């Protein structure tokens, strides 16, 4: 009799809760996988000549709603990598102007931000890759 009660509890309570959990988390797992794949594509893009990563362990990989401001229900993917370069800003920009890095759903938009020239003659540069898509059931973007 006790065994039957546990089976009934499992069927009526536990299994629907597990199903609901999987239903809610599936878009989260999907978007996390998209973000990881996006990061790998950005990191695999060749660096400009005379450039290196400034912080190997300090990469900013972010997913969320409205990362660049605005309103609406959409999901943003952003990857930032900090580099040190000896190139001029024009040379550096030219390297990324033709970058064909696939985003999560579209071609990634690439922005570069330049810091001051340091004492060694190098310059810190932040390379930011961004993509976005309309909300598709990931609760973090609603």
């Amino acid at each position: 009799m006790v065994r039957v009660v546990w089976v009934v509890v499992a069927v009526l309570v536990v299994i629907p809760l597990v199903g609901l959990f999987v239903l809610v988390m599936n878009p989260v797992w999907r978007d996390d996988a998209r973000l990881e794949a996006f990061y790998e594509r950005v990191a695999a893009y060749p660096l400009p000549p005379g450039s290196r990563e400034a912080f190997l362990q300090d990469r900013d990989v972010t997913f969320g709603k409205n990362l660049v401001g605005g309103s609406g229900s959409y999901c943003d993917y952003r990857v930032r990598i900090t580099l040190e370069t000896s190139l001029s800003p024009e040379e550096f920009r030219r390297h990324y102007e033709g970058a064909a890095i696939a985003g999560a759903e579209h071609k990634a938009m690439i922005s570069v931000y330049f810091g001051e020239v340091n004492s060694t003659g190098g310059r810190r540069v932040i390379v930011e890759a961004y993509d976005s898509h309309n909300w598709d059931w990931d609760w973090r973007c609603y």
Side-chain angles (χ1 to χ4, degrees):
M1 183 67 179
V2 172
R3 178 178 275 178
V4 172
V5 170
W6 282 111
V7 169
V8 169
V9 167
V11 168
L12 295 178
V13 176
V14 175
I15 293 174
L17 286 177
V18 169
L20 181 62
F21 175 77
V22 169
L23 185 67
V24 168
M25 291 305 293
N26 192 46
V28 172
W29 296 328
R30 180 204 55 230
D31 286 338
D32 286 348
R34 286 177 178 172
L35 179 62
E36 180 63 27
F38 182 37
Y39 164 75
E40 289 174 5
R41 289 189 296 274
V42 171
Y45 192 78
L47 297 178
S51 302
R52 65 177 180 80
E53 285 197 52
F55 306 107
L56 293 177
Q57 301 300 321
D58 188 27
R59 295 178 174 174
D60 180 13
V61 180
T62 308
F63 172 83
K65 178 181 178 179
N66 303 340
L67 294 178
V68 293
S71 62
S73 296
Y74 54 90
C75 300
D76 294 333
Y77 302 81
R78 183 178 63 208
V79 175
R80 287 183 181 160
I81 298 175
T82 303
L83 303 177
E84 177 128 349
T85 188
S86 59
L87 298 176
S88 70
E90 294 79 25
E91 293 170 311
F92 195 91
R93 274 195 185 95
R94 200 172 309 122
H95 178 79
Y96 281 101
E97 279 177 358
I101 301 172
E105 288 201 356
H106 312 97
K107 179 182 172 192
M109 293 177 279
I110 308 291
S111 300
V112 292
Y113 305 97
F114 296 94
E116 299 295 320
V117 176
N118 60 29
S119 60
T120 62
R123 175 188 306 266
R124 287 266 165 91
V125 182
I126 296 173
V127 177
E128 181 178 281
Y130 170 83
D131 193 17
S132 180
H133 65 78
N134 289 330
W135 179 68
D136 57 356
W137 299 99
D138 187 330
W139 57 270
R140 298 173 294 178
C141 303
Y142 182 70

